[in-house]
Amino acid sequence: MGITNLVAQRSTCLRRQVGAVLVKDKYILSTGYNGAPRGLAHCLDVGCLREQQNVPSGEKHELCRGLHAEQNAIIQAAYHGVSIRDATLYCTTLPCVICTKMLINAGIQKIVYREGYADPLSLSMLDEAEIDIKQIGQGD
């Protein structure tokens, strides 16, 4: 989780800094943090549309110009040709339902996270998919 926290420091999101690390057999396969797509202006530079419209956390993900940390970790693995099947995701925040669906289809077997997220459907789907989830504290 220490590395995951370090990755989160690269985030360019104004609302929440999230880091994700995909690990298999004690090797880091990929990392990701939340921010705008490669080559596009970051929210740090142009402002946050979700803030401007007072969109609550966990709602209307499509209004964000950024990708979630989990999405970027999956994309980076694919970009570099690295299989993440049967990997463990370490993430500073429980994945939202959109990321959860991607992680299920990518074959992730376990998710370790630090803080919750306002998305009960995510937990329900992870349970249904029988993905092992574990919440750990700040110092764990």
Side-chain angles (χ1 to χ4, degrees):
M1 282 306 287
I3 294 170
T4 305
N5 293 329
L6 187 61
V7 171
Q9 292 178 15
R10 298 202 62 207
S11 170
T12 58
C13 179
L14 297 171
R15 297 181 89 178
R16 180 192 308 252
Q17 284 66 50
V18 179
V21 178
L22 288 165
V23 176
K24 185 174 180 182
D25 299 326
K26 299 183 181 180
Y27 289 97
I28 295 173
L29 303 175
S30 181
T31 66
Y33 57 89
N34 54 331
R38 182 187 323 253
L40 300 185
H42 294 284
C43 297
L44 288 172
D45 303 318
V46 297
C48 175
L49 182 60
R50 291 169 52 85
E51 273 297 299
Q52 294 163 6
Q53 294 185 8
N54 295 313
V55 176
S57 180
E59 296 181 16
K60 298 185 179 183
H61 298 283
E62 70 277 7
L63 294 180
C64 180
R65 68 184 292 109
L67 291 123
H68 288 185
E70 304 91 331
Q71 293 168 336
N72 273 325
I74 292 168
I75 291 165
Q76 284 304 305
Y79 187 85
H80 294 288
V82 176
S83 173
I84 58 173
R85 178 187 293 167
D86 299 325
T88 295
L89 172 76
Y90 291 86
C91 196
T92 56
T93 305
L94 179 71
C96 73
V97 70
I98 294 170
C99 292
T100 290
K101 291 184 277 188
M102 295 172 133
L103 294 164
I104 291 168
N105 276 359
I108 300 305
Q109 294 298 305
K110 182 176 182 178
I111 296 173
V112 179
Y113 69 98
R114 187 180 65 229
E115 58 188 57
Y117 190 71
D119 198 335
L121 183 55
S122 174
L123 282 172
S124 174
M125 292 183 85
L126 290 168
D127 182 55
E128 184 179 347
E130 298 181 355
I131 293 178
D132 184 24
I133 58 172
K134 179 181 178 185
Q135 183 174 13
I136 61 174
Q138 186 78 358
D140 292 337

